[in-house]
C-alpha cells in the first residue's frame, strides 16, 4: 500500500513569510495528524482530524497556524506569519481510526527552516 | 498527566552487542506504549506496541520490549546490534481513552564497527 505522502520535503523561508504543507494519507485512513518535531525533541501533536472534523487542536498556535482537511482526505497545514522558532520538521501521520492501538503511519516530513 | 522519559539521549554500542534503550512512563492508568524508529530524513516507523496483551512484546527487526508495571518501564532491547540499527528511537505513551501519543525526547543509537 502507498504510504503517507508529504510535500514539499524541504522549505526555507524568511521570517514573517507564509508557508503551506500538504499531506495525503493512506487510502481509507479516517484519522490524520500533524506533528511538529523540533530538533532534539520528540514530535508534538499540533492537530488531529477525524474525517474532516477536528478532534484536538489544543496545541496548535492558532494565531499563526491553520489546518484543514477538506473532503476528509488530503490536508494542508499553513503558517502565517512564520517565526524563527517554527523551524522544525512537520510530520503528517494517518491511522485507520481514533483507537490509538492501531498505531500511526508517518510520512517522511517537511523540514522547514525559517531564517 | 502522562509523560515519558527516555534515559540517555545518545547510546553507542558495538556491532553484535546488546542494545538496551530505556523508557519510563508516568500514567494514572495502564497505558498503551509504543516504540518508534526514525532513520535520517525519514518519518517515524512503528517498531512495536503494548496494548495489554502479553507483557513481552516482539517487534520488527529483532527488537522486543517488556512492559513492567512495577517499574513503570518499557525498555527496548535487541540481542545483537547491526549497523543498520543506527537511528533515533522514540518511546511514546497514550492513556487509554485518549487519542494521541506523548513522545519522549528520543535516543540516538550509534553502532560501532
Amino acid at each position: 500500500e502507498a504510504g503517507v505522502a508529504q510535500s514539499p520535503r524541504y522549505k526555507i523561508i524568511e521570517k514573517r513569510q507564509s508557508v503551506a504543507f500538504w499531506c495525503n494519507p493512506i487510502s481509507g485512513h479516517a484519522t490524520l495528524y500533524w506533528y511538529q518535531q523540533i530538533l532534539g525533541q520528540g514530535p508534538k501533536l499540533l492537530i488531529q482530524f477525524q474525517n474532516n472534523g477536528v478532534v484536538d487542536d489544543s496545541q496548535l498556535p492558532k494565531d499563526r497556524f491553520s489546518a484543514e482537511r477538506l473532503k476528509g482526505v488530503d490536508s494542508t497545514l499553513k503558517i502565517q506569519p512564520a517565526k524563527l522558532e517554527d523551524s522544525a520538521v512537520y510530520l503528517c501521520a494517518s491511522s485507520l481510526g481514533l483507537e490509538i492501538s492501531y498505531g500511526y503511519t508517518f510520512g517522511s516530513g517537511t523540514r522547514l527552516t525559517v531564517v | 498527566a502522562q509523560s515519558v522519559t527516555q534515559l540517555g539521549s545518545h547510546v553507542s554500542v558495538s556491532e553484535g552487542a546488546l542494545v538496551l534503550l530505556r523508557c519510563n512512563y508516568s500514567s494514572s492508568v495502564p497505558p498503551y506504549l509504543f516504540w518508534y524508529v526514525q532513520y535520517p530524513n525519514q518519518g517515524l516507523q512503528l517498531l512495536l506496541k503494548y496494548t495489554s496483551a502479553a507483557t513481552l512484546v516482539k517487534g520488527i527487526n529483532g527488537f522486543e520490549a517488556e512492559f513492567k508495571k512495577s517499574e513503570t518501564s518499557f525498555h527496548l532491547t535487541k540481542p545483537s546490534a547491526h549497523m543498520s540499527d543506527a537511528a533515533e528511537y522514540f518511546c511514546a505513551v497514550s492513556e487509554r481513552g485518549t487519542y494521541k501519543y506523548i513522545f519522549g525526547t528520543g535516543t540516538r543509537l550509534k553502532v560501532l564497527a
Side-chain angles (χ1 to χ4, degrees):
Chain A
E1 86 186 339
V4 176
Q6 288 189 248
S7 66
R9 288 297 309 274
Y10 305 93
K11 190 74 176 179
I12 300 174
I13 62 171
E14 295 182 350
K15 60 183 179 184
R16 292 188 289 274
Q17 285 186 324
S18 63
V19 64
F21 313 128
W22 173 82
C23 172
N24 181 239
I26 291 175
S27 177
H29 279 197
T31 311
L32 185 146
Y33 311 81
W34 283 101
Y35 277 81
Q36 180 191 57
Q37 186 178 14
I38 293 173
L39 186 65
Q41 300 181 20
K44 182 187 81 172
L45 179 68
L46 291 176
I47 189 167
Q48 176 184 3
F49 292 94
Q50 176 70 1
N51 296 310
N52 61 351
V54 175
V55 175
D56 185 346
D57 63 357
S58 58
Q59 296 194 81
L60 186 73
K62 298 180 185 64
D63 58 333
R64 298 184 300 105
F65 285 65
S66 65
E68 60 183 9
R69 191 183 184 198
L70 300 176
K71 301 180 182 179
V73 183
D74 293 7
S75 177
T76 57
L77 176 70
K78 297 179 182 178
I79 308 175
Q80 182 179 8
K83 294 184 175 181
L84 295 177
E85 58 261 36
D86 298 331
S87 294
V89 176
Y90 291 85
L91 294 165
C92 180
S94 69
S95 178
L96 279 170
L98 285 175
E99 174 54 56
I100 199 70
S101 63
Y102 288 139
Y104 298 177
T105 301
F106 282 86
S108 298
T110 295
R111 182 177 298 276
L112 174 67
T113 302
V114 182
V115 298
Chain B
Q2 289 178 293
S3 66
V4 60
T5 302
Q6 292 185 241
L7 294 176
S9 58
H10 292 81
V11 170
S12 294
V13 300
S14 298
E15 191 173 20
L18 172 71
V19 175
L20 171 61
L21 304 182
R22 300 178 186 274
C23 173
N24 288 87
Y25 68 90
S26 172
S27 178
S28 57
V29 297
Y32 293 136
L33 293 158
F34 304 80
W35 276 98
Y36 279 84
V37 60
Q38 186 176 34
Y39 298 101
N41 299 315
Q42 295 187 28
L44 282 74
Q45 179 183 3
L46 180 66
L47 272 179
L48 49 81
K49 61 184 179 183
Y50 167 75
T51 57
S52 82
T55 56
L56 181 63
V57 181
K58 294 188 184 297
I60 61 172
N61 301 337
F63 284 94
E64 63 182 37
E66 186 172 8
F67 171 68
K68 292 187 176 180
K69 185 178 178 181
S70 61
E71 299 177 9
T72 61
S73 69
F74 190 59
H75 302 331
L76 182 70
T77 60
K78 182 174 180 178
S80 177
H82 191 274
M83 297 297 288
S84 61
D85 295 326
E88 189 150 23
Y89 293 79
F90 291 92
C91 182
V93 63
S94 179
E95 191 168 308
R96 293 161 194 269
T98 68
Y99 305 122
K100 59 187 179 184
Y101 294 130
I102 304 296
F103 282 92
T105 52
T107 297
R108 187 170 297 277
L109 176 66
K110 185 175 182 180
V111 181
L112 307 172

